[in-house]
Amino acid sequence: MNQFGLFVRFTLRDGAGEAFDALMEETTAGIRAHEPGTLVYACHKVEGTRDERIFFEIYADHDAFEEHERQPHTRHFLAERAKYVAKTEVDRLQPYAGKYPSGVEK
């Protein structure tokens, strides 16, 4: 399995949730429209908190992740997120078992 993933936890600055979520809506629109190699890009609010966000990302391979990083919408997100984020924790994932999307358009 060549897929590559990330698990990202953002701790937001106090009161930044609404603006961060709006930035993510804009960013994910670009991901859906321009990134066929991004198989899953799921943003979650953490139940019971107002300032935690979790992203689960699966890419067809490491090249698809690098292409994601080069996209204008991703570059915009990376430049803007410091306004809203107090802390970022990133785990790089190497899927090895489970049910994953194939990347084939259906």
Side-chain angles (χ1 to χ4, degrees):
M1 182 178 289
N2 291 329
Q3 294 175 343
F4 172 77
L6 294 176
F7 182 88
V8 183
R9 177 181 292 271
F10 292 108
T11 302
L12 304 180
R13 297 180 189 282
D14 190 39
E18 189 174 313
F20 180 84
D21 294 342
L23 177 63
M24 284 319 306
E25 289 291 336
E26 179 183 327
T27 303
T28 55
I31 292 167
R32 285 190 300 274
H34 302 291
E35 296 186 30
T38 300
L39 306 179
V40 175
Y41 198 93
C43 307
H44 306 273
K45 293 179 180 178
V46 177
E47 200 171 307
T49 74
R50 70 170 210 236
D51 294 330
E52 298 285 330
R53 301 294 185 271
I54 299 287
F55 289 13
F56 179 67
E57 307 169 29
I58 297 290
Y59 300 91
D61 52 31
H62 201 273
D63 289 341
F65 169 69
E66 294 297 331
E67 182 62 23
H68 163 75
E69 292 288 290
R70 287 190 290 271
Q71 294 296 311
H73 49 268
T74 301
R75 308 289 296 164
H76 176 71
F77 168 75
L78 294 173
E80 294 293 308
R81 72 179 177 182
K83 295 177 188 175
Y84 313 115
V85 175
K87 181 179 177 186
T88 304
E89 300 170 69
V90 180
D91 290 317
R92 297 168 74 88
L93 309 174
Q94 292 295 319
Y96 71 93
K99 181 179 180 206
Y100 293 92
S102 65
V104 176
E105 297 280 330
K106 293 185 181 186

